[in-house]
């Protein structure tokens, strides 16, 4: 077993400067982890780390483009030496697109999205996962899936990428289970981030229309997703691996039900 240089369990969060990644950083910090937040948004990442350090937490920001396998690997080795192996890895870094068509989408944008969203997840899981294996302390990896992992949506590259991440999660669970490393995915529906709220406020998104295909009448917040991540990393989930946990207000259960051509046999109040 390798020595851990941090007195606290270590959590690494890619895309940790904003949104769900930021919420995961805040959650792990509140749970007493030493947290490394990786992101390309240096300004937000540094500000978040400084805010949480001022509250007594152990949070560092590191600039890291997850599409760059060499950079991810170098940072993973550095953090292993400085903090010890991570007991939790969350891969939240991603590019989030607008509606587009495969026939018309710009190919460079398409390829970049695969490099960040899918390849970036592979890079982080390989580089940090190898140190977790070497440390022989077990651990938990959480990938970011989506309702896109399950349903078709007009989001080229992003939508098939989320399906690929669900399968990658199962492959990693099968590979790493013998090292007591569990690998799961969380699958949010539309998350009520400040960016989504702004789009609703400006009329770019129609909230009542979005809610028509959900079972519940409220969307998850980033903190709700972080709670699910923390659950999957906890001992309460010690025999759960290889799953996609929807945090979706019932979208997957009800999207086809709500759009049935014969109509829904009841009215929403
Ligand atoms: N927001 C949603 O409604 C929603 C729904 C389902 C799934 N998800 C998934 O959750 C994850 C996080 O989404 P979010 O809403 O927090 O997004 P966000 O855009 O708020 O945050 C993503 C973060 O990733 C960072 N990032 C982008 N490219 C990077 C790169 N190359 N290297 C490192 N960091 C990079 C960004 O700077 C940003 O801080 C994504 O995987 C997304 O697909 C989001």
């Amino acid at each position: 077993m390798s020595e851990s240089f941090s007195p606290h369990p270590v959590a690494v969060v890619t895309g940790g400067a904003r949104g769900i990644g930021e919420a995961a950083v805040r959650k792990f910090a509140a749970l007493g982890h030493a947290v490394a937040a990786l992101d390309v948004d240096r300004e937000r990442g540094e500000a978040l780390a400084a805010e949480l350090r001022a509250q007594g937490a152990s949070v560092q920001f590191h600039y890291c483009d997850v599409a760059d396998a060499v950079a991810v690997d170098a940072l993973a080795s550095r953090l292993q030496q400085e903090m010890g192996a991570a007991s939790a890895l969350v891969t939240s870094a991603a590019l989030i697109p607008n509606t587009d068509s495969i026939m018309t989408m710009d190919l460079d944008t398409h390829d970049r999205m695969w490099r960040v969203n899918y390849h970036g997840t592979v890079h982080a899981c390989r580089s940090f996962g190898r140190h977790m294996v070497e440390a022989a302390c077990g651990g938990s990896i959480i990938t970011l899936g989506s309702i896109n992992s399950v349903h078709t949506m007009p989001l080229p590259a992003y939508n098939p990428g989320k399906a690929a991440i669900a399968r990658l999660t199962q492959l990693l669970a099968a590979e790493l289970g013998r090292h007591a490393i569990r690998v799961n995915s969380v699958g949010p529906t539309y998350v009520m981030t400040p960016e989504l709220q702004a789009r609703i406020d400006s009329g770019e998104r129609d909230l009542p229309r979005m809610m028509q295909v959900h079972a519940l009448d409220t969307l998850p917040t980033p903190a709700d997703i972080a709670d699910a991540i923390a659950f999957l990393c906890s001992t309460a989930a010690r025999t759960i691996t290889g799953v996609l946990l929807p945090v979706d207000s019932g979208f997957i259960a009800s999207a086809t039900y709500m759009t049935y051509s014969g109509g829904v046999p009841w009215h929403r109040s």
Side-chain angles (χ1 to χ4, degrees), residues 11-39 44-45 48-50 52-53 57-61 90 92 222 226 229:
V12 174
V13 182
T14 74
R18 201 175 82 166
I20 293 166
E22 175 188 339
V25 168
R26 290 182 184 278
K27 183 77 187 179
F28 281 115
L31 291 171
H33 285 61
V35 189
L38 281 44
D39 208 291
R44 279 190 72 113
L48 175 65
L52 293 173
R53 277 198 302 271
S58 172
V59 178
Q60 313 173 358
F61 170 76
V90 179
S92 194
I229 290 169

Side-chain angles (χ1 to χ4, degrees), residues 88-136:
L89 167 69
V90 179
T91 60
S92 194
L95 300 172
I96 301 182
N98 286 318
T99 307
D100 209 339
S101 146
I102 292 167
M103 293 301 149
T104 56
M105 183 183 193
D106 172 63
L107 261 191
D108 287 342
T109 307
H110 174 276
D111 294 354
R112 176 71 186 159
M113 189 155 296
W114 272 100
R115 280 199 299 278
V116 174
N117 295 13
Y118 180 77
H119 292 254
T121 302
V122 172
H123 299 156
C125 291
R126 267 167 65 97
S127 296
F128 288 96
R130 282 173 174 168
H131 291 299
M132 289 165 98
V133 169
E134 276 167 28

Side-chain angles (χ1 to χ4, degrees), residues 4-269:
S4 172
F5 301 134
S6 166
H8 307 289
V10 173
V12 174
V13 182
T14 74
R18 201 175 82 166
I20 293 166
E22 175 188 339
V25 168
R26 290 182 184 278
K27 183 77 187 179
F28 281 115
L31 291 171
H33 285 61
V35 189
L38 281 44
D39 208 291
V40 290
D41 189 337
R42 193 184 293 277
E43 200 178 322
R44 279 190 72 113
E46 298 278 18
L48 175 65
E51 178 199 326
L52 293 173
R53 277 198 302 271
Q55 296 167 15
S58 172
V59 178
Q60 313 173 358
F61 170 76
H62 296 276
Y63 180 91
C64 182
D65 178 353
V66 296
D68 182 343
V70 174
V72 174
D73 208 48
L75 182 58
S77 296
R78 190 182 136 200
L79 293 181
Q80 153 73 22
Q81 286 179 353
E82 291 176 4
M83 305 174 81
S87 61
L89 167 69
V90 179
T91 60
S92 194
L95 300 172
I96 301 182
N98 286 318
T99 307
D100 209 339
S101 146
I102 292 167
M103 293 301 149
T104 56
M105 183 183 193
D106 172 63
L107 261 191
D108 287 342
T109 307
H110 174 276
D111 294 354
R112 176 71 186 159
M113 189 155 296
W114 272 100
R115 280 199 299 278
V116 174
N117 295 13
Y118 180 77
H119 292 254
T121 302
V122 172
H123 299 156
C125 291
R126 267 167 65 97
S127 296
F128 288 96
R130 282 173 174 168
H131 291 299
M132 289 165 98
V133 169
E134 276 167 28
C137 294
S140 193
I141 296 175
I142 309 295
T143 61
L144 257 295
S146 164
I147 51 175
N148 280 267
S149 307
V150 178
H151 282 272
T152 54
M153 294 188 180
L155 301 169
Y158 184 88
N159 181 268
K162 288 299 184 190
I165 287 171
R167 181 53 55 85
L168 172 73
T169 303
Q170 293 176 314
L171 291 175
L172 287 167
E175 276 194 36
L176 297 178
R178 68 192 195 282
H179 301 289
I181 299 168
R182 298 182 297 104
V183 190
N184 293 295
S185 200
V186 286
T189 184
Y190 314 104
V191 176
M192 193 51 88
T193 58
E195 291 74 26
L196 177 57
Q197 186 63 62
R199 287 179 169 200
I200 292 166
D201 294 345
S202 70
E204 260 183 89
R205 290 280 186 279
D206 182 348
L207 184 61
R209 188 165 164 219
M210 289 162 72
M211 296 321 299
Q212 275 168 16
V213 287
H214 290 80
L216 301 178
D217 62 5
T218 187
L219 293 176
T221 63
D224 290 321
I225 312 303
D227 284 345
I229 290 169
F231 161 70
L232 286 171
C233 291
S234 75
T235 53
R238 70 187 187 88
T239 56
I240 299 175
T241 195
V243 307
L244 171 73
L245 174 62
V247 189
D248 70 342
S249 301
F251 179 96
I252 291 171
S254 63
T256 51
Y257 181 102
M258 299 296 194
T259 55
Y260 180 59
S261 64
V264 175
W266 45 270
H267 288 292
R268 214 179 182 132
S269 53

